[in-house]
Amino acid sequence: MKARTIGTAAAAAVAALAARDLLQKRHALLRNFPVAGHARYLLERIGPELRQYIVTSNEEERPFSRDQRSWIYASAKEENNYFGFGTEVDVAHVQGHAYLKQRTFAGPLPDAHDPDAPLPSAKVLGGPRGRAKAFRPASVVNISAMSFGSLSGAAITALNEGAAQAGALHNTGEGGLSPYHRRGGGDLVLQLGTSYFGCRNEDGSFDLARLKEVVASAPVRAIEIKLSQGAKPGLGGMLPGAKVTPEIAEIRGIPVGRDCASPSRHSAFGDTDSMLDFVELLAAETGLPVGVKSAVGELGFWQELASMMARGDRGVDFVTVDGGEGGTGAAPRIFADSVSLPFRMGFSRVYGTFAELGTTDKLTFIGSGKLGLPENAAVAFALGADMVNVAREAMLSIGCIQAQKCHTDRCPTGIATQNPWLARGIDPASKATRAAHYLRTLRRELTKVSSALGVAHPSLITPDDIEVLNGDYEARTLAAVYGYKEGWGRLGPELAEEITRLLTA
């Protein structure tokens, strides 16, 4: 026994000497070749690119897998976006994967292969509240809020013109209505954030007169009050003074070259009651439908809003629910990863709050947060969404490569940067065509999926038409997973009949 102990100790000593020798050789190598010591920093910087094209499989990468990006790229270029030889998804074991259940027979259906087939909203935006400029959006797929400043002028121009070609709406983002939002002729949703950029006084307070001037000067079809967003819910943004160029300063109504910190809350109202007064003021002064956008945290606000709207005298015309997985805005990691609920969970809770009071047909529900893929969009419609907004997917359609450098002002494709040298790589005309192709293709895919499920419009997909894998060998319907009661997630009979007639006449 003693001999064995001595032998073990000797072996450990030899191993320690060998390790020390190896360490000394490593230090000598780094002294002789100092660049080798910095190689890991280079590899870390290009990590996203390495993972995209070398390391990960077609389904592993986040936030968008290679297959998802390939589908968007091919759709935008009008190339073959089909996939062969079966799915790469482990369909029997991927927890949370959604499966759509096709029907054998169906009633009247639209032509699912017509590239120019219309796919309007099933609801009239602002109609239930009698807004003077209520309208039926021509597209259920629209471009989500991305500001000039966050995106380059060339990127905004391309998206706006693409929206015009596809008959979609283009949300300005909270950075104000820029000249680039006007160049393509696309209809706009004007977003008001906590800083009221473009519609503010010198002290940062809201200026109604300025808002009316902006609305009158451009094709603004609706106003969206941003309470929070999925990328950084409950947190105001910071625009460093170095980025506040004379052009951005003029658009936003802020001083040139000075830091601009957006507050985390609105100053024009301080609770749900005063917010509804603000909504009605904007609607009365402009005639436009007015809604709110928010990520979902605590439900007290939504319960109070639904309860006040049930009285019928005041209310928003639409609610845009943003999922916590949203991400065009730069954000602290804790906010991107762990603040606010994911889309499906957050949306279902908001929808259920209004469904309990029987008021879901009286306002339009819009979903955002990685819904620019057909399967995700189909789930959103089944949960009760009437339209979906796309942001990162729209960026991908005009050339984004998911370099994940949006927050550095060094976007290599010129999309998420104010660097003129980088931004000149975007040809707005050709990229606009690609954005339009993508929007049309997503609508056509939704029509195909709806037809497979036996209905004429994605808003007619029900939460019982989709099942979610729960464990290896069990699946539950969306209704069961999210606690939907009978009739939830469905349009009222009159709305369902009207949209079916519009699409199949």
Side-chain angles (χ1 to χ4, degrees):
M1 180 65 70
K2 181 179 291 187
R4 182 181 301 174
T5 303
I6 294 172
T8 302
V14 169
L17 289 171
R20 187 176 67 181
D21 183 57
L22 182 62
L23 188 61
Q24 289 173 345
K25 289 180 179 179
R26 177 180 177 273
H27 286 320
L29 177 65
L30 293 181
R31 282 195 301 271
N32 293 328
F33 301 97
V35 70
H38 297 283
R40 64 190 182 99
Y41 296 110
L42 173 63
L43 293 174
E44 183 176 313
R45 289 186 62 183
I46 62 174
E49 289 84 352
L50 289 175
R51 289 190 293 274
Q52 284 177 25
Y53 300 108
I54 299 176
V55 180
T56 59
S57 74
N58 288 340
E59 282 296 323
E60 283 181 334
E61 197 181 352
R62 297 291 181 272
F64 290 87
S65 71
R66 189 179 304 151
D67 275 348
Q68 291 170 337
R69 296 197 315 275
S70 295
W71 180 83
I72 294 173
Y73 294 147
S75 299
K77 298 174 185 177
E78 283 196 304
E79 296 175 350
N80 184 347
N81 62 4
Y82 282 50
F83 290 80
F85 212 65
T87 180
E88 294 187 21
V89 177
D90 187 2
V91 293
H93 303 97
V94 176
Q95 179 77 14
H97 192 72
Y99 299 94
L100 286 68
K101 301 184 292 185
Q102 82 279 6
R103 286 193 176 93
T104 304
F105 304 106
L109 297 174
D111 182 358
H113 297 283
D114 180 1
D116 299 316
L119 193 60
S121 171
K123 295 176 181 175
V124 175
L125 197 65
R129 299 207 56 77
R131 305 303 188 197
K133 297 179 182 178
F135 70 105
R136 184 188 300 275
S139 174
V140 297
V141 180
N142 300 288
I143 296 178
S144 192
M146 293 179 283
S147 303
F148 169 61
S150 174
L151 301 192
S152 66
I156 294 291
T157 300
L159 292 173
N160 186 257
E161 186 175 337
Q165 293 178 20
L169 296 167
H170 183 194
N171 193 305
T172 64
E174 67 174 315
L177 202 160
S178 73
Y180 308 102
H181 289 103
R182 306 171 188 266
R183 291 184 177 177
D187 285 343
L188 301 170
V189 176
L190 177 65
Q191 188 180 82
L192 291 180
T194 55
S195 286
Y196 311 111
F197 291 128
C199 307
R200 56 187 264 152
N201 297 305
E202 290 186 4
D203 63 356
S205 60
F206 174 69
D207 185 342
L208 178 61
R210 181 64 183 138
L211 170 73
K212 294 170 69 173
E213 291 176 6
V214 171
V215 166
S217 70
V220 176
R221 304 298 304 276
I223 297 172
E224 180 179 80
I225 302 168
K226 191 189 88 168
L227 305 177
S228 63
Q229 68 184 85
K232 46 191 172 200
L235 181 69
M238 165 63 80
L239 188 66
K243 283 190 172 183
V244 184
T245 64
E247 182 181 32
I248 290 177
E250 181 180 357
I251 293 167
R252 299 195 175 199
I254 57 179
V256 178
R258 287 174 52 184
D259 288 350
C260 180
S262 297
S264 60
R265 305 292 190 276
H266 281 265
S267 60
F269 51 86
D271 54 26
T272 309
D273 186 51
S274 56
M275 186 195 78
L276 286 178
D277 286 339
F278 186 65
V279 167
E280 293 298 335
L281 172 66
L282 300 187
E285 292 291 332
T286 66
L288 297 172
V290 180
V292 295
K293 173 183 179 177
S294 181
V296 181
E298 58 88 23
L299 285 180
F301 161 72
W302 298 103
Q303 293 164 349
E304 192 171 20
L305 176 62
S307 177
M308 289 183 174
M309 285 183 59
R311 303 170 191 169
D313 57 332
R314 297 175 302 166
V316 298
D317 298 295
F318 62 94
V319 167
T320 303
V321 176
D322 200 12
E325 60 271 56
T328 58
R333 176 58 60 188
I334 179 65
F335 282 82
D337 287 349
S338 303
V339 181
S340 86
L341 298 176
F343 172 77
R344 295 181 187 180
M345 187 178 295
F347 182 90
S348 61
R349 292 185 183 182
V350 170
Y351 181 90
T353 302
F354 287 91
E356 286 282 8
L357 300 175
T359 59
T360 54
D361 281 352
K362 296 181 179 178
L363 74 162
T364 293
F365 291 91
I366 303 173
S368 63
K370 205 176 177 182
L371 302 184
L373 302 163
E375 57 270 32
N376 291 350
V379 170
F381 281 107
L383 288 173
D386 302 298
M387 298 192 292
V388 294
N389 287 345
V390 297
R392 287 174 293 179
E393 300 90 335
M395 292 169 65
L396 289 166
S397 76
I398 63 171
C400 170
I401 61 170
Q402 194 170 277
Q404 297 176 290
K405 300 185 186 299
C406 312
H407 59 296
T408 67
D409 201 41
R410 295 194 299 270
C411 170
T413 62
I415 294 174
T417 179
Q418 294 304 304
N419 185 313
W421 186 81
L422 293 170
R424 69 178 182 176
I426 298 178
D427 174 29
S430 65
K431 297 300 186 183
T433 301
R434 291 189 180 186
H437 288 329
Y438 160 69
L439 293 169
R440 292 193 192 102
T441 301
L442 178 54
R443 290 199 303 247
R444 189 162 66 249
E445 293 287 297
L446 287 170
T447 301
K448 290 179 183 178
V449 167
S450 302
S451 297
L453 272 59
V455 294
H457 189 278
S459 287
L460 299 175
I461 300 173
T462 76
D464 291 318
D465 290 327
I466 298 179
E467 295 195 12
V468 177
L469 192 66
N470 178 35
D472 284 351
Y473 304 106
E474 179 188 3
R476 301 166 64 198
T477 65
L478 284 177
V481 170
Y482 295 106
Y484 274 33
K485 298 180 180 178
E486 182 64 30
W488 288 16
R490 293 168 168 80
L491 293 175
E494 292 183 4
L495 289 173
E497 182 181 349
E498 181 180 22
I499 193 61
T500 301
R501 186 172 62 252
L502 282 173
L503 293 181
T504 60

